[in-house]
């Protein structure tokens, strides 16, 4: 999949400014994005899928299939959007400020009357986000070093984080955050990261190497 990314980055009109930037908010995030899906057009994301090649399309399908692997018979199955978001951060210090992917709609909002209903419906997709799944598509030609920046920084607030090898040979290893409760995750190519969309506040630290991430949000 990494081989297809330079072509996407160079193709006119494929990577577009993120939704925050399109709303003239340039202080929150700086990545450029496109949306990958099987069908040629995505009415939910409002964009036509780029010609991404079979390898990237395979990553898209496997990432969406994570929901099936995580399903529990005692819990309602995840709802998975038809699209995944491909984001590229430039090597010039690209970032995404602290945020949570989900939205807890405060009860006090209902005091606004009809406006609250409008917001509740408008933010429906964000409200339903339960789990964030990210796979990093950065080139594996060299490890991601501290000088590259671009770490995913997560505030755990007492929650636990675990590292699992694909082959399961080392078992599960608990990851220990820094003294301030923040866990830094390097975006190594092929690494899959899962976290609670509603609870885990996170940021992308300033990036000094081109950084690619493919994301799916699993809904309840």
């Amino acid at each position: 999949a990494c081989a297809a990314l330079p072509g996407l980055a160079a193709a006119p009109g494929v990577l577009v400014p993120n939704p925050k930037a399109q709303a003239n908010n340039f202080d929150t995030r700086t990545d450029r994005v496109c949306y990958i899906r099987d069908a040629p057009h995505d009415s939910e994301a409002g964009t036509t899928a780029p010609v991404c090649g079979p390898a990237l399309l395979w990553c898209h399908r496997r990432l969406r299939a994570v929901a099936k692997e995580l399903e529990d018979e005692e819990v309602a199955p995840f709802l998975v959007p038809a699209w995944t978001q491909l984001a590229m951060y430039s090597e010039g210090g690209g970032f995404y400020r602290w945020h949570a992917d989900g939205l807890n709609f405060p009860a006090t909002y209902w005091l606004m009357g009809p406006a609250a209903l409008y917001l509740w419906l408008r933010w429906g997709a964000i409200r339903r986000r339960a789990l964030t799944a990210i796979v990093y598509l950065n080139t594996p030609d060299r490890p991601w070093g501290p000088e590259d920046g671009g770490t995913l920084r997560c505030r755990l607030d007492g929650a636990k984080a675990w590292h699992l090898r694909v082959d399961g040979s080392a078992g599960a290893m608990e990851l220990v955050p820094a003294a301030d409760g923040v866990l830094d995750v390097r975006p190594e190519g092929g690494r899959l990261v899962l976290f609670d969309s509603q609870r885990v506040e996170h940021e992308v630290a300033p990036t000094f190497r081109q950084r690619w991430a493919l994301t799916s949000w699993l809904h309840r």
Side-chain angles (χ1 to χ4, degrees), residues 23-198:
N24 294 319
N25 178 354
F26 302 103
D27 298 323
T28 301
R29 57 187 289 196
T30 63
D31 55 320
R32 292 190 295 150
V33 301
C34 67
Y35 298 91
I36 310 296
R37 61 173 285 139
D38 294 330
H41 184 75
D42 183 357
S43 58
E44 182 178 355
T47 185
T48 300
V51 179
C52 55
L56 188 54
L57 193 59
W58 183 86
C59 292
H60 154 82
R61 291 169 175 165
R62 291 300 301 159
L63 187 60
R64 295 186 65 247
V66 165
K68 188 67 175 178
E69 301 293 332
L70 298 176
E71 283 184 0
D72 188 324
E73 293 182 356
E74 299 181 0
V75 181
F78 288 108
L79 302 175
V80 185
W83 51 272
T84 55
Q85 178 190 266
L86 179 65
M88 189 272 284
Y89 293 82
S90 69
E91 61 272 22
F95 63 85
Y96 197 153
R97 303 298 186 202
W98 287 104
H99 66 285
D101 287 347
L103 174 67
N104 180 20
F105 196 79
T108 54
Y109 276 28
W110 292 108
L111 298 175
M112 295 188 297
L117 179 60
Y118 168 77
L119 294 176
W120 190 82
L121 294 172
R122 180 179 179 181
W123 296 336
I126 299 176
R127 285 189 297 102
R128 293 193 299 269
R129 288 177 180 174
L131 197 68
T132 298
I134 305 172
V135 64
Y136 293 108
L137 301 179
N138 301 306
T139 177
D141 59 349
R142 65 180 176 90
W144 197 278
E147 70 279 2
D148 297 319
T151 55
L152 175 69
R153 312 194 71 231
C154 300
R155 287 184 177 142
L156 298 185
D157 290 333
K160 292 186 177 182
W162 301 90
H163 176 266
L164 299 172
R165 293 182 60 88
V166 174
D167 57 11
S169 59
M173 179 179 67
E174 184 174 355
L175 302 176
V176 179
D180 60 359
V182 174
L183 178 69
D184 285 341
V185 180
R186 294 182 184 176
E188 300 285 359
R191 174 168 286 168
L192 173 67
V193 179
L194 304 171
F195 59 84
D196 189 317
S197 302
Q198 300 288 334

